[in-house]
């Protein structure tokens, strides 16, 4: 092999290695969440001398932390949940501090929602909540899922609803894991509390800052940790730096030739998922995750298959739009559960969707830049498009089986 060709080959392999590492890191960002985005919901109602909290926590998340499935058959029964209620309450109450308001459980319930069953804790405290957004220390699932978030809605009579996204703090979770003193309850209302619930400790452990753009950050987190959405986008982007010709795949000459198809794909995906995100969050259209989650996995399989064997009779941008409608339902869970007044809902929806788009643009910009650098490598059609799409098909099929059959195949 001539020296010039050998040098070119080494340069190509180094570029390929960098590209694979970059793409792997990008995909790993998505794979960091080992399951559907985890959120709990706190509805806090404050009045003079009394504070009531309704706290909804997904049983699937509690099972990860507390191993509720005592017979390990993969299914939670009412008997297993009933037997675990004291553990659920003890675990949760030690991981929530609302300033100046020690509280205790005054009721419990189970509620089935579109995305599964939730444990509902009813809490009460005989206190008057300070004005403004209260300082809330939150440590739920910090030791098992740092991507978990609590979504708090604070309602005072005659005042606007206040919203906050609560990030779990490891310090509170660690404190909660230590042996706690007994909580004295009089008439179902807390009069003293465990160390983790002490109001004196609350200021130093409060990590949930309230702000005007919290749902923007939540939208970014949702797309960047939504591994199935990330994989779907990558399947669409992989062939964008190549063009099909009679001899086979050929690299594009200019970045603009790759960018314009990407702009069309991103625009179609954005418009489509924005439509269904709004409809689902407004509860105008409701589809169960039992349908949506397998359907999202199917979009990955079909998009990857189209890379190696064209199966759609229409342009890819049209296919992307229809698949984006499905993905929009997968984004809607956070806002749909909050039951917000119209103005607050509109502002939260705007922030959340904007965060989704910014996160999506980050993924697209990084992936397109890497793929454009790699496009002249001779192995691109075989390894990036062919093998990469085959891997995406395999993952998509595995997710499809997992989500239909409620089984675990992959470690992520």
């Amino acid at each position: 092999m001539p020296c010039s060709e050998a040098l070119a080959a080494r340069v190509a392999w180094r570029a390929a290695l960098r590209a694979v590492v970059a793409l792997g890191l990008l995909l790993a960002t998505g794979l960091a969440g080992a399951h559907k985005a985890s959120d709990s919901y706190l509805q806090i109602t404050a009045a003079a001398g009394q504070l009531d909290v309704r706290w909804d926590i997904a049983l699937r998340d509690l099972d990860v932390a507390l191993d509720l499935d005592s017979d390990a058959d993969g299914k939670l029964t009412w008997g297993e949940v009933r037997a675990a209620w004291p553990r659920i309450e003890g675990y949760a109450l030690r991981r929530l501090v609302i300033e100046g308001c020690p509280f205790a459980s005054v009721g419990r319930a189970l509620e089935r929602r579109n995305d599964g069953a939730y444990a509902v804790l009813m809490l009460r405290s005989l206190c008057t909540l300070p004005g403004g957004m209260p300082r809330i220390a939150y440590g739920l699932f910090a030791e098992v899922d740092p991507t978990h978030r609590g979504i708090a809605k604070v309602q005072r009579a005659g005042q606007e609803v206040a919203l906050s996204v609560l990030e779990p703090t490891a310090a509170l979770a660690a404190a909660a894991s230590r042996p706690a003193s007994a909580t004295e309850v009089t008439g179902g209302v807390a009069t003293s509390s465990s160390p983790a619930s002490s109001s004196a400790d609350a200021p130093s452990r409060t990590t949930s800052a309230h702000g005007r753009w919290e749902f923007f950050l939540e939208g970014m987190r949702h797309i960047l940790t939504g591994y199935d959405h990330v994989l779907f986008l990558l399947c669409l982007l992989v062939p964008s730096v190549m063009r099909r010709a009679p001899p086979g795949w050929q690299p594009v000459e200019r970045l603009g030739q790759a960018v314009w198809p990407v702009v069309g794909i991103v625009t179609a995906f954005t418009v489509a998922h924005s439509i269904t995100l709004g409809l689902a969050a407004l509860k105008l259209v409701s589809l169960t995750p039992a349908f949506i989650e397998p359907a999202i996995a199917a979009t990955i399989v079909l998009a990857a298959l189209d890379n190696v064997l064209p199966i759609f009779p229409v342009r890819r941008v049209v296919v992307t739009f229809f698949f984006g409608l499905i993905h929009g339902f997968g984004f809607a869970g956070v806002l749909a559960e909050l039951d917000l007044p119209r103005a607050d809902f509109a502002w939260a929806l705007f922030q959340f969707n904007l965060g989704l788009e910014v996160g999506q643009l980050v993924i697209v910009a990084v992936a397109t830049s890497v793929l454009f650098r790699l496009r002249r490598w001779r192995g691109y059609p075989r390894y990036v498009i062919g093998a990469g799409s085959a891997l995406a098909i395999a993952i998509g099929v595995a997710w499809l089986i997992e989500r239909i059959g409620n089984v675990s195949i992959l470690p992520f």
Side-chain angles (χ1 to χ4, degrees), residues 345-360:
F345 174 83
W347 178 236
L349 178 61
F350 170 77
Q351 287 186 54
F352 187 77
N353 201 40
L354 185 61
L356 287 175
E357 306 322 318
V358 171
Q360 177 178 283

Side-chain angles (χ1 to χ4, degrees), residues 316-337:
R316 173 160 282 213
V317 67
V318 177
V319 176
T320 301
F321 178 84
F322 283 104
F323 285 177
L325 293 173
I326 296 172
H327 283 251
F329 286 104
F331 293 131
V334 173
L335 297 176
E337 302 293 345

Side-chain angles (χ1 to χ4, degrees), residues 290-342:
F291 169 77
I292 291 299
E293 295 300 321
I296 289 174
T299 66
I300 295 169
V301 175
L302 294 174
L305 183 60
D306 189 59
N307 288 341
V308 293
L309 180 65
I311 58 175
F312 298 115
V314 295
R315 295 175 59 192
R316 173 160 282 213
V317 67
V318 177
V319 176
T320 301
F321 178 84
F322 283 104
F323 285 177
L325 293 173
I326 296 172
H327 283 251
F329 286 104
F331 293 131
V334 173
L335 297 176
E337 302 293 345
L338 291 178
D339 193 23
L340 298 173
R342 188 172 298 273

